[in-house]
Amino acid sequence: MSGFLELAISGLMSGLVIGLAALALTLVFGVARFANAATGDFMTCGAYAALAGFTATGSIVLGGLVGLAAGALVGVLSYLLVFRVLEGRPSVSALLASIGVGFVIRAVLGLIYGHGQQVFQLPLVRPWRVYDLRIQPNDLKIGIAALATLAVVFLILHATPMGRRMRAVADDPMLARVSGIAPRKVMLGLWAMGGAVAALAGVLLGIKTVVSPEMGWEMLIPVFAAAVLGGIGHPVGAVVAGVLLGVLQEIATPYVGFTYKLALAFVVLLIVLLVRPKGLFGRVEGVR
């Protein structure tokens, strides 16, 4: 029983990371109206930038902030150089372009850092024991960081002028425009926030596992599955579905093995598309 609970706790932490990345994906979908396939590579950018910041300063907090800044910068540059040019064209154009952006980011990171795996050289700490449960302190810190980030994002969405403008553009872009909202500023804020959130997911994933140019790409299916399961375009649904998927993957690991647990994301994605394409929260449009 204790082993089962330990897997569930580990899955909860992994699920929060998936939920963060799914939130970044669904935010962009809700406003820009396409699924950004480069989200995983934004994660990778954040992880490498945080690793560089941590190596230079010795502080994981400063490293994480460097990762956030790098993710926001990559998000804004992607918008200015690629996605802004494609505005008004069919969403499939932006989707295909995002796949290309992801390839470019991956190739550049591979050229700079190589394709070997790197790790955050954090001090080893003993797990805490709560009755028969062993809890890794780093897992708990990852969970706290993810929850704090989620709180900030939802605060921005629901309690700031920028968040209200994003929701207005998501609801009705034309009405938002005639109401005096500048869509360009909204899009810049959206891509900065989406890039930063994805980058933090990459930082937390890198701390929990390893950093490599393919780490974000390999996470893309679970992230897509969580976004679809939650109801793509629905921020709360993306986070809830990410947590559910993370727990499911960890609990299933003893039965299907570590290699095949990622395949569960394909199964979930397939079932949702067949049975309930609108996802758990039943919405397909707009940030709410």
Side-chain angles (χ1 to χ4, degrees):
M1 186 63 183
S2 61
F4 181 83
L5 290 176
E6 287 173 5
L7 285 173
I9 292 172
S10 178
L12 178 62
M13 303 309 164
S14 300
L16 285 171
V17 174
I18 295 173
L20 274 176
L23 175 61
L25 177 70
T26 211
L27 283 174
V28 171
F29 182 89
V31 179
R33 307 295 186 188
F34 76 95
N36 178 22
T39 301
D41 298 287
F42 289 1
M43 293 173 64
T44 309
C45 275
Y48 272 108
L51 188 60
F54 172 66
T55 303
T57 65
S59 167
I60 192 65
V61 175
L62 291 178
L65 292 176
V66 172
L68 281 175
L73 179 62
V74 170
V76 169
L77 287 178
S78 298
Y79 170 66
L80 292 176
L81 298 177
V82 180
F83 301 116
R84 184 181 62 171
V85 181
L86 298 174
E87 283 180 349
R89 300 187 188 181
S91 58
V92 69
S93 301
L95 172 62
L96 293 175
S98 70
I99 295 174
V101 169
F103 272 114
V104 170
I105 292 173
R106 224 171 306 143
V108 170
L109 291 175
L111 284 173
I112 297 174
Y113 295 103
H115 289 271
Q117 295 179 340
Q118 300 186 40
V119 296
F120 285 85
Q121 299 290 345
L122 297 172
L124 294 175
V125 290
R126 291 180 180 276
W128 295 332
R129 277 200 169 274
V130 180
Y131 298 103
D132 290 336
L133 290 178
R134 289 179 303 173
I135 300 175
Q136 296 292 339
N138 284 340
D139 279 355
L140 190 61
K141 293 173 184 174
I142 287 172
I144 292 172
L147 289 172
T149 304
L150 289 172
V152 170
V153 171
F154 283 104
L155 188 65
I156 291 174
L157 284 178
H158 294 279
T160 68
M162 177 56 74
R164 286 191 284 273
R165 292 188 190 108
M166 286 183 186
R167 292 160 58 203
V169 173
D171 284 338
D172 191 331
M174 290 303 296
L175 181 60
R177 190 187 298 271
V178 299
S179 301
I181 294 175
R184 196 73 69 209
K185 290 182 180 177
V186 171
M187 296 304 286
L188 286 172
L190 167 74
W191 281 96
M193 187 164 70
V197 172
L200 182 69
V203 173
L204 299 180
L205 181 65
I207 292 173
K208 188 170 175 61
T209 57
V210 295
V211 178
S212 72
E214 292 78 23
M215 59 179 286
W217 174 253
E218 292 167 355
M219 285 294 292
L220 201 54
I221 291 300
V223 171
F224 264 97
V228 173
L229 176 61
I232 191 162
H234 198 294
V236 174
V239 176
V240 172
V243 171
L244 290 175
L245 189 58
V247 173
L248 175 65
Q249 285 184 326
E250 289 300 324
I251 289 177
T253 300
Y255 306 102
V256 301
F258 180 81
T259 304
Y260 294 104
K261 75 174 186 180
L262 288 176
L264 286 173
F266 286 96
V267 176
V268 170
L269 186 59
L270 183 61
I271 292 174
V272 173
L273 290 175
L274 289 174
V275 178
R276 189 176 171 81
K278 292 183 178 180
L280 294 176
F281 286 75
R283 289 178 178 171
V284 293
E285 76 284 344
V287 176
R288 296 288 188 269

